[in-house]
Amino acid sequence: QVQLVESGGGSVQAGGSLRLSCAYTNNMCTMGWFRQAPGKEREGVATFESDGTTNYANSVKGRFTISRDNAKNTLQLQMNSLKPEDTAMYYCAACKTQLGLSRIQTLGFIDLREYSYWGQGTQVTVSS
């Protein structure tokens, strides 16, 4: 069975930084970070494909960096120059389902059924 555990969330002022971490038990599938703000749908932030390619939402390009440490079995999300708009619950997910593989747009609003495994989330709050 696969377990995902997120950590690293917190409260920071605009312009600050946070590093999120996702510990996992399976490092041979696509993984990604997603977020959901109150009253909004869950959306993709960044993904790390099984072939090593990465994708970022336009809103975070140049500010966020996704990385993977296979030796430590962790997926990281370095978030710099944080904005109040980044405030959300951040979730780690792993292993695309057939529904996930059928996605045309790389990122955007996500259906939870697109990934096989999800963590419980870690809250990120950015104040102005």
Side-chain angles (χ1 to χ4, degrees):
Q1 58 183 358
V2 176
Q3 294 267 51
L4 301 175
V5 181
E6 303 101 330
S7 63
S11 299
V12 298
Q13 291 188 324
S17 299
L18 283 174
R19 180 187 287 269
L20 306 184
S21 181
C22 173
Y24 56 88
T25 58
N26 186 344
N27 64 355
M28 297 183 290
C29 62
T30 298
M31 299 188 71
W33 286 99
F34 303 82
R35 66 186 182 187
Q36 186 168 20
K40 296 185 177 181
E41 297 179 55
R42 192 169 299 186
E43 63 179 355
V45 175
T47 59
F48 196 109
E49 303 295 326
S50 58
D51 64 0
T53 60
T54 58
N55 296 286
Y56 295 91
N58 289 333
S59 61
V60 306
K61 286 182 178 178
R63 299 189 298 120
F64 291 11
T65 302
I66 189 171
S67 61
R68 191 167 179 170
D69 187 338
N70 292 329
K72 298 292 185 181
N73 283 358
T74 56
L75 181 74
Q76 313 288 333
L77 184 68
Q78 178 65 45
M79 305 185 294
N80 298 324
S81 301
L82 284 163
K83 304 175 180 179
E85 305 94 280
D86 296 318
T87 295
M89 183 73 76
Y90 283 70
Y91 299 89
C92 174
C95 303
K96 289 182 178 179
T97 62
Q98 285 299 314
L99 179 63
L101 291 171
S102 71
R103 170 177 286 272
I104 297 175
Q105 297 291 329
T106 303
L107 297 171
F109 293 131
I110 200 80
D111 186 321
L112 270 60
R113 295 172 296 177
E114 293 183 37
Y115 280 81
S116 295
Y117 310 101
W118 290 88
Q120 294 300 114
T122 184
Q123 179 68 39
V124 171
T125 301
V126 184
S127 60
S128 59

